[in-house]
Amino acid sequence: MHRHGAARRTAARRGRNAAAPLLAGLLLAGCTSAAATDPQAAPGQSSASSAPATAPPKQPPPQLTDQQVAAAVDRIDAYVQDAMRRTGVPGLALAVVHDDKVVHAKGYGVRELGKPDTVTPDTVFQLASVSKPISSTVVAAAVGGKAVTWDDPVTAHDPGFALADPWVGGHVTLADLFSHRSGLPDHAGDLLQDLGYPRDYILQHLRDQPLAPFRASYAYTNYGLTEAAVAVARAKGSSWENLAADTLYKPLGMTATSSLRSAYDNAANKALPHVRTADGTGWQVSTTENADPQSPAGGVSSTAQDLTHWMRLQLAGGSYEGRQVVDPAALGETWLPHILSGTPAAPAGNPAQYGLGWNVGRDNRGRLRLNHSGGFDLGAATTVTLLPSERLGIVVLTNGQPTGLPEAVAEEFFDLAQEGHETVDWLGFLGKVVPAAAQSPVSPTDYTKPPAGAAPAKPDAAYVGTYANGYYGPLTVGTGNGGGLVMSLGPGGLQFPLQHYAGDVFAFRTRGENAVGLSGVTFTVGADGRAAKAVVEQLDHEGLGTFTRS
């Protein structure tokens, strides 16, 4: 979902995986990480009779007891069941880890509406943007192994990479791209994926995108992060998908986790995506896009059970069952805030900040809090939240488009653990915030209502032809079998029937993860009676949507 200008980039272009950055400002208070290089450092405490510590603790002492966590686990089931009833989301799986133990893992509901197969902790879900902190864990392992550093320029490992500003392109680092501070526009490249372009093409064409100030602006970019991850894989002499498996999934025994869409498609026990019906009263099975092109940013599939292994590793500072799998200093860097991602909602509030694949915040008791949500408008919503000082984490996976359900379950769990009761109607609050964040901005023009006295279209021949664009590739306008104009875009020739709106303006129905309903195509017709160019509204938010007749 795209936008124009800095403010509009923040409010618009939600869709794919975009709930996560917005929620940082609403759920994650503020952010300066005290766990600078040692995420598992235990705080030191001194009694009244002992000598004072030589330095403040790197993180506060635990405030939660085993009994408080157990009580929250006992009560979360009823909340989940009621929240699923209220939202209608078909299936959900969650898992909780505490003090290096799995204290809860359970499935609820069904994998597919209309069929009896139930969700279990071993049901495979699409993670969407929860892929990002998993990917930063993989890169942290490569950093710890001295194959790369977070401050390496991307071009050190991918010499062909470039951005619109040559200096920025040569200096942008792995950390810049993992923290969304490169200057690339919000969700740059995602519309190319909607049109069917492969990863290599999309990454190569990031150089066509206009840039905001380098390291001084935040804009959530799946393909910026993907470029950094692919560069690390090149440095390791591997593909990203194999590197993730060899570095993280296999060592942790995450046998149902993969960075390839084919693994999800072939899983026998998987949760199918669902979207709301057109009238909003029910749910129906959907199909998500293949996220392989942006696999590091949104293409992981996994289970609640598998993700407990990863959460345990995170909360143990890169250690897993006595083995140091990821260097603690390299992992700790992912927990540090690297860019301001949102301003405070009120003077007494805290800003939102982003680390390396994590929203980095402080809860209302001052504890470091790591979070990321994921969402596919076409049928998935997920979240993970960690409280490192408590060695406590929860992951919630659902097979419905974003509704606020997974985030509400996580917030409710922490409320029950810390306060013993709900402090906010989380589902009521997040049930409004998250869908609004995930909703794509529609055109300001209502193409279903042509203006009174609208000029007629010119003959079809005026518009038929091929129009070139260096970023989006060729656009072809022809006539359909049943008459009427049809626009074709993308390497596979996706077809979009055009309906006349007024004069030389036509409308088409968008499709894919970033669909925005009806959008417009405006032709400029010359004195010779033929269109010389066409501007596609949905593709023009960064000024890249003009196609010139070949």
Side-chain angles (χ1 to χ4, degrees), residues 59 62-66 68-70 72-73 95-101 103-104 311-312 314-316 335 358 363 367-370 384-395 410 413-418:
Q59 56 187 23
Q63 301 177 32
L64 295 173
T65 65
D66 290 348
Q68 285 175 292
V69 173
V73 166
V96 178
V97 299
H98 182 227
D99 200 20
D100 205 32
K101 296 184 292 291
V103 296
H104 192 49
M311 289 193 292
R312 288 173 57 201
Q314 282 277 336
L315 294 167
W335 293 12
W358 283 109
D363 70 5
R367 294 171 295 197
L368 172 66
R369 176 180 166 123
L370 306 171
V384 60
T385 302
L386 307 180
L387 287 182
S389 65
E390 304 290 349
R391 301 190 76 185
L392 177 65
I394 184 171
V395 64
F413 174 77
F414 287 110
D415 251 6
L416 295 175
Q418 187 66 62

Side-chain angles (χ1 to χ4, degrees), residues 82-90 113 272-287 376-381 398-406 427-428 430-436 438-439:
D82 180 65
M84 291 180 69
R85 177 189 59 79
R86 289 168 62 184
T87 61
V89 171
L113 275 178
L272 270 63
H274 296 77
V275 297
R276 290 194 182 277
T277 54
D279 61 8
T281 61
W283 290 81
Q284 63 188 24
V285 176
S286 178
T287 302
F376 288 155
D377 276 358
L378 292 175
T398 71
N399 61 348
Q401 68 186 112
T403 62
L405 173 61
L427 189 59
L430 294 168
K432 298 174 182 176
V433 170
V434 173
Q439 185 176 10

Side-chain angles (χ1 to χ4, degrees), residues 134 137-138 141 244-257 305-315 318-321 323-326:
I134 292 174
T137 309
V138 174
D246 294 340
T247 300
L248 191 64
Y249 309 154
K250 292 177 183 178
L252 269 59
M254 300 169 67
T255 56
T257 302
Q305 191 70 56
D306 266 14
L307 291 172
T308 64
H309 303 291
W310 170 65
M311 289 193 292
R312 288 173 57 201
L313 174 133
Q314 282 277 336
L315 294 167
S319 176
Y320 181 76
E321 297 189 347
R323 294 176 288 121
Q324 195 68 46
V325 179
V326 181

Side-chain angles (χ1 to χ4, degrees), residues 108-120:
Y108 308 79
V110 296
R111 289 156 27 192
E112 180 181 357
L113 275 178
K115 295 189 177 179
D117 298 325
T118 57
V119 172
T120 74

Side-chain angles (χ1 to χ4, degrees), residues 66-199:
D66 290 348
Q67 291 74 21
Q68 285 175 292
V69 173
V73 166
D74 288 342
R75 296 174 62 185
I76 199 64
D77 279 0
Y79 181 85
V80 170
Q81 291 165 6
D82 180 65
M84 291 180 69
R85 177 189 59 79
R86 289 168 62 184
T87 61
V89 171
L92 179 151
L94 69 79
V96 178
V97 299
H98 182 227
D99 200 20
D100 205 32
K101 296 184 292 291
V102 180
V103 296
H104 192 49
K106 188 171 181 179
Y108 308 79
V110 296
R111 289 156 27 192
E112 180 181 357
L113 275 178
K115 295 189 177 179
D117 298 325
T118 57
V119 172
T120 74
D122 297 311
T123 297
V124 177
F125 286 78
Q126 296 175 82
L127 301 189
S129 275
V130 170
S131 304
K132 290 179 174 68
I134 292 174
S135 295
S136 68
T137 309
V138 174
V139 175
V143 170
K146 311 301 182 186
V148 299
T149 76
W150 283 114
D151 291 329
D152 281 356
V154 172
T155 53
H157 308 296
D158 182 6
F161 179 70
L163 292 174
D165 182 319
W167 191 92
V168 174
H171 288 79
V172 67
T173 66
L174 303 178
D176 291 328
L177 290 172
F178 260 88
S179 59
H180 309 297
R181 65 185 188 193
S182 66
L184 282 168
D186 182 65
H187 285 72
D190 282 14
L191 289 173
L192 289 175
Q193 180 181 319
D194 282 357
L195 294 176
Y197 283 101
R199 176 190 293 169

